[in-house]
């Protein structure tokens, strides 16, 4: 099984409450603000940190910025895409969602949603049984079934690889929760993440496939937007980025009253913004920091993200966007 290596703390940073980072590229065109949804808890807003143990010698001075492709998926195009899953959709009259700018095809057995501008798609097999699952596949079998489905419908670009499998459990309604365990695995979700230029793409750039009994595909979500090369931008120095992190111009999960904050590692990544194309047309590079701090007698790991193309400011804003992944704090020994 192929694996995409993305550190847990790097992924965890995506679960922070809504912030907007003002990002200005070191070229003629200014990049728009970068939006990162998050967990909304109180974090340190002014702290001292040490960079002595961090090695940043292999990081580049410039990095490619990409532009998200904007599609104009017509009704005819959408019908052809939806008909791959059910031939009856080829002449169907879909519902249209003005907010998402999408088409929705649905009958008694299948649901297909297609966004006109981004090409994002959602598929659901509505026939999946509600009774107890008896033959849910192993993780390896689930990955194989998911890859077969995605390749069949052209949903699996070469930049994506499986990154993990999660089990989905339910409790039947007729189970007495006080006397019986009752919960069972009903499906498994295979998660695919992306790398571009050998860098992980954080944010909403993902594909998720839910696999049920005997490898049946229950649902598939193609969340990512396709990209094309734009131009290279000069990157700020790592020391400058660390300064931004220290002065609340980046996003992190360092607790209030943290002591002895030490940066151990910094890597370059891309971040796919969940905003609409007219709000965020670019895939931008970010610095991902990892380190530790002392808190209430324990050594705690943390991560942080700072825009890489220029210095930026951060301002809180209301956001009703779910985090890309759940965050779980890691404690060192």
């Amino acid at each position: 099984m192929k694996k995409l290596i993305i550190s847990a703390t790097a992924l965890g940073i995506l679960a922070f409450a809504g912030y907007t980072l003002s990002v200005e590229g070191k070229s003629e065109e200014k990049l728009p603000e970068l939006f990162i949804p998050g967990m909304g808890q109180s974090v340190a807003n002014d702290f001292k940190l040490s960079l002595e143990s961090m090695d940043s010698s292999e990081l580049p001075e410039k990095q490619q910025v990409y532009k998200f492709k904007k599609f104009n998926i017509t009704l005819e195009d959408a019908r052809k895409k939806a008909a791959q899953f059910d031939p009856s959709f080829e002449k169907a009259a879909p519902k249209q969602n003005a907010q998402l700018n999408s088409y929705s095809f649905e009958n008694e057995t299948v649901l297909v949603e297609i966004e006109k501008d981004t090409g994002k798609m959602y598929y659901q097999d509505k026939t999946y049984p509600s009774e107890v699952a008896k033959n849910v596949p192993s993780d390896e079998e689930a990955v194989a079934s998911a890859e077969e489905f995605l390749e069949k419908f052209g949903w699996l670009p070469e930049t994506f690889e499986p990154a993990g499998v999660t089990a989905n459990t339910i409790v039947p309604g007729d189970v007495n929760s006080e006397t019986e365990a009752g919960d069972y695995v009903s499906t498994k979700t295979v998660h695919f993440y992306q790398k571009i230029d050998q860098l992980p793409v954080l944010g909403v750039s993902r594909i998720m496939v839910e696999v049920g009994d005997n490898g049946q595909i229950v649902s598939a979500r193609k969340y990512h937007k396709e990209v094309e090369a734009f131009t290279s931008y000069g990157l700020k120095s790592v020391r400058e980025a660390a300064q931004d992190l220290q002065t609340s111009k980046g996003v992190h999960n360092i607790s209030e009253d943290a002591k002895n904050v030490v940066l151990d590692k910094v890597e370059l990544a891309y971040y796919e913004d969940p905003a609409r194309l007219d709000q965020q047309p670019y895939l931008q590079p970010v610095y991902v920091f990892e380190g530790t701090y002392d808190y209430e007698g324990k050594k705690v790991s943390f991560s942080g993200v700072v825009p890489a193309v220029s210095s930026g400011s951060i301002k809180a804003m209301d956001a009703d966007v779910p985090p890309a992944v759940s965050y779980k704090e890691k404690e060192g020994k």
Side-chain angles (χ1 to χ4, degrees):
M1 166 181 165
K2 298 182 293 182
K3 291 185 178 180
L4 174 60
I5 301 175
I6 303 177
S7 67
T9 48
L11 289 176
I13 198 67
L14 301 180
F16 289 91
Y19 290 99
T20 296
L21 304 178
S22 298
V23 183
E24 183 176 351
K26 295 180 180 179
S27 70
E28 293 183 359
E29 182 165 344
K30 179 179 178 180
L31 296 181
E33 294 175 330
L34 186 61
F35 176 74
I36 302 178
M39 68 182 182
Q41 73 179 43
S42 297
V43 296
N45 55 20
D46 191 11
F47 52 89
K48 295 181 180 180
L49 54 81
S50 171
L51 287 72
E52 294 180 3
S53 62
M54 187 178 66
D55 181 12
S56 60
S57 59
E58 296 185 0
L59 292 174
E61 295 182 356
K62 289 186 175 183
Q63 187 63 35
Q64 179 73 48
V65 170
Y66 289 87
K67 192 168 186 176
F68 295 122
K69 292 182 181 180
K70 183 175 181 180
F71 296 92
N72 181 22
I73 297 176
T74 65
L75 175 57
E76 182 179 356
D77 294 334
R79 282 173 171 161
K80 289 180 180 179
K81 291 178 179 293
Q84 290 181 298
F85 304 98
D86 191 312
S88 68
F89 291 147
E90 192 164 6
K91 297 183 179 180
K95 294 181 180 178
Q96 298 196 41
N97 185 315
Q99 183 176 1
L100 296 176
N101 196 22
S102 66
Y103 297 107
S104 179
F105 299 82
E106 185 174 10
N107 57 29
E108 294 182 355
T109 61
V110 179
L111 169 65
V112 179
E113 295 178 349
I114 304 168
E115 289 190 13
K116 302 177 187 178
D117 290 342
T118 65
K120 291 182 179 181
M121 294 185 66
Y122 171 71
Y123 163 82
Q124 180 187 354
D125 184 344
K126 297 169 62 178
T127 68
Y128 190 67
S130 58
E131 63 264 18
V132 174
K134 298 178 180 179
N135 192 25
V136 176
S138 66
D139 289 359
E140 291 76 13
E141 291 170 336
V143 170
S145 294
E147 289 182 328
E148 182 181 1
F149 173 88
L150 295 175
E151 289 171 354
K152 177 180 178 181
F153 295 106
W155 281 25
L156 189 58
E158 293 181 355
T159 54
F160 276 85
E161 294 182 353
V165 180
T166 56
N168 307 308
T169 60
I170 63 174
V171 178
D174 58 352
V175 169
N176 186 332
S177 60
E178 295 182 359
T179 60
E180 301 177 72
D183 59 326
Y184 66 92
V185 176
S186 59
T187 60
K188 289 186 175 180
T189 300
V190 183
H191 304 264
F192 295 81
Y193 283 88
Q194 184 173 199
K195 277 189 175 181
I196 293 179
D197 295 338
Q198 303 303 311
L199 301 179
V201 184
L202 309 181
V204 296
S205 186
R206 53 195 162 136
I207 300 171
M208 300 167 61
V209 182
E210 187 180 5
V211 184
D213 260 4
N214 301 306
Q216 180 178 348
I217 304 301
V218 180
S219 66
R221 297 170 172 84
K222 176 179 174 288
Y223 282 154
H224 69 99
K225 298 184 286 289
E226 296 182 27
V227 299
E228 56 190 0
F230 178 58
T231 189
S232 294
Y233 276 70
L235 302 182
K236 69 179 71 172
S237 70
V238 172
R239 186 166 295 276
E240 182 183 359
Q243 178 72 18
D244 285 349
L245 188 71
Q246 184 177 353
T247 56
S248 299
K249 294 179 181 179
V251 178
H252 61 78
N253 59 329
I254 301 173
S255 299
E256 294 179 320
D257 300 322
K259 301 182 183 301
N260 300 320
V261 182
V262 177
L263 293 177
D264 297 321
K265 184 178 180 181
V266 60
E267 295 180 328
L268 200 61
Y270 283 106
Y271 182 81
E272 181 169 348
D273 199 311
R276 300 192 312 268
L277 280 177
D278 59 337
Q279 298 172 323
Q280 179 53 260
Y282 301 106
L283 179 70
Q284 302 181 29
V286 293
Y287 285 121
V288 180
F289 289 98
E290 295 183 20
T292 61
Y293 61 88
D294 296 331
Y295 181 74
E296 296 183 348
K298 296 180 180 179
K299 186 73 70 175
V300 181
S301 298
F302 74 90
S303 54
V305 170
V306 175
V309 296
S310 70
S311 59
S313 61
I314 185 171
K315 61 181 180 180
M317 63 181 293
D318 294 333
D320 187 22
V321 179
V325 294
S326 61
Y327 168 76
K328 183 177 291 186
E329 189 175 73
K330 295 169 59 183
E331 295 184 356
K333 292 183 180 180

